[in-house]
């Protein structure tokens, strides 16, 4: 069973004696008509759960609201500022450090959370061990391992990779409609200024018709394998 919140007890965590915590960071934003507003959070939690099952890490509950301003044209989308996300993540990092852990990994599933890269860079410059996962290369490797047909640029939002992960991990959250929802627009040079609504009326940019549970399973397996390098770097 895939739980959306950690179920470990304090005793469980004491027995595991982890050095590293993983913090899932999602969003609450539109994902077309067939994926829930919580899609990015579900994906971040799913990845974190796979990591916690494979490695001795502490899985934290997710941050469910983040920087989704480019999706504000659609009902339901809710955002916080980059400054607020910066503060929350750093507060979490301070807390896990005080509890005895040596590092924090931000498991991010929303591409609009640009500020997370700055948080990680600043933290390490100040001596706080932190990493951002998955990296762009991790995602590229996962796409290749799963034999996804669309490119990372083409598959921007509610497309092949996101729908595949949910079809594998939480199929009950995927509604009909993804089979015919493909929308491709590769020239998005003014996205930050105009928002996503300038490039899609459905909220989709990608080819969800190519999705499958098998691809989602392979993506998660590749990401889990890639995480070993992150732990090696963060070793105390």
């Amino acid at each position: 069973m895939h739980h959306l919140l950690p179920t470990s007890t304090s005793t469980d965590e004491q027995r595991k004696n982890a050095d590293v915590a993983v913090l899932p960071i999602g969003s609450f934003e539109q994902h077309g008509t067939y994926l829930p507003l919580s899609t990015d959070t579900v994906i971040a939690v799913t990845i974190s759960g796979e990591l916690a099952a494979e490695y001795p890490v502490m899985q934290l509950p997710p941050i469910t609201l983040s920087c989704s301003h480019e999706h504000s044209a659609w009902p339901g989308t809710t955002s916080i500022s980059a400054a607020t996300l910066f503060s929350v993540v750093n507060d979490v990092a301070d807390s896990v450090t005080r509890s005895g852990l040596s590092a924090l990994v931000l498991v991010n599933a929303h591409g609009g959370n640009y500020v997370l890269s700055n948080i990680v860079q600043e933290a390490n410059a100040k001596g706080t061990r932190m990493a951002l996962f998955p990296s762009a290369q991790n995602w590229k490797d996962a796409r290749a391992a799963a034999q996804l047909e669309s490119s990372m640029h083409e598959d921007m939002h509610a497309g092949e990779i996101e729908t595949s992960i949910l079809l594998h991990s939480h199929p009950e959250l995927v509604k009909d409609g993804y089979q015919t929802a493909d929308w491709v627009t590769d020239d998005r040079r003014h996205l930050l200024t105009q928002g996503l609504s300038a490039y899609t009326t459905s909220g989709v940019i990608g080819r969800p018709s190519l999705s499958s549970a098998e691809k989602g399973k392979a993506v998660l397996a590749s990401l889990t394998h890639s995480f070993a390098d992150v732990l090696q770097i963060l070793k105390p």
Side-chain angles (χ1 to χ4, degrees):
M1 181 178 180
H2 296 275
H3 294 283
L4 290 177
L5 290 173
T7 59
S8 61
T9 66
S10 185
T11 302
D12 294 333
E13 294 301 336
Q14 184 178 36
R15 187 179 300 115
K16 183 182 289 186
N17 194 29
D19 289 319
V20 175
V22 292
L23 175 63
I25 303 176
S27 70
F28 198 73
E29 64 186 32
Q30 68 83 19
H31 276 78
T33 61
Y34 49 87
L35 296 182
L37 290 156
S38 59
T39 290
D40 290 343
T41 298
V42 173
I43 291 175
V45 168
T46 298
I47 295 171
S48 297
E50 295 287 328
L51 301 181
E54 182 70 19
Y55 302 100
V57 297
M58 178 181 176
Q59 183 184 3
L60 297 172
I63 294 176
T64 58
L65 298 177
S66 61
C67 304
S68 300
H69 311 286
E70 71 273 26
H71 298 273
S72 59
W74 283 272
T77 296
T78 306
S79 293
I80 59 176
S81 69
T84 297
L85 184 58
F86 186 100
S87 295
V88 170
V89 171
N90 278 296
D91 282 354
V92 173
D94 288 344
S95 180
V96 299
T97 299
R98 287 195 301 272
S99 70
L101 281 78
S102 63
L104 177 66
V105 178
L106 312 182
V107 179
N108 178 48
H110 172 49
N113 289 333
Y114 310 115
V115 69
L116 297 180
S117 296
N118 299 114
I119 294 173
V120 170
Q121 289 174 322
E122 290 185 23
N124 284 287
K126 295 176 181 178
T128 299
R129 302 297 287 153
M130 195 181 294
L132 182 59
F133 183 84
S135 68
Q137 189 60 53
N138 294 144
W139 283 118
K140 289 179 181 177
D141 292 345
R143 298 181 74 89
Q147 298 183 340
L148 268 62
E149 299 176 52
S150 55
S151 68
M152 283 186 66
H153 182 74
E154 177 185 20
D155 193 30
M156 177 193 178
H157 193 69
E160 184 179 12
I161 195 167
E162 290 186 319
T163 308
S164 291
I165 292 173
L166 261 66
L167 283 172
H168 166 65
S169 63
H170 290 279
E172 73 281 2
L173 298 181
V174 182
K175 297 181 179 180
D176 281 337
Y178 70 91
Q179 302 92 336
T180 57
D182 291 4
W183 184 264
V184 178
T185 175
D186 288 341
D187 186 348
R188 306 186 297 269
R189 71 187 72 188
H190 302 299
L191 176 66
L192 295 182
T193 302
Q194 295 181 304
L196 202 68
S197 61
Y199 300 97
T200 171
T201 56
S202 66
V204 177
I205 295 181
R207 300 173 66 192
S209 67
L210 300 174
S211 306
S212 73
E214 292 75 18
K215 290 178 180 178
K217 181 178 181 180
V219 166
L220 291 171
S222 175
L223 292 176
T224 302
H225 176 76
S226 296
F227 188 71
D229 290 343
V230 177
L231 281 186
Q232 182 65 28
I233 292 171
L234 292 176
K235 280 176 59 176

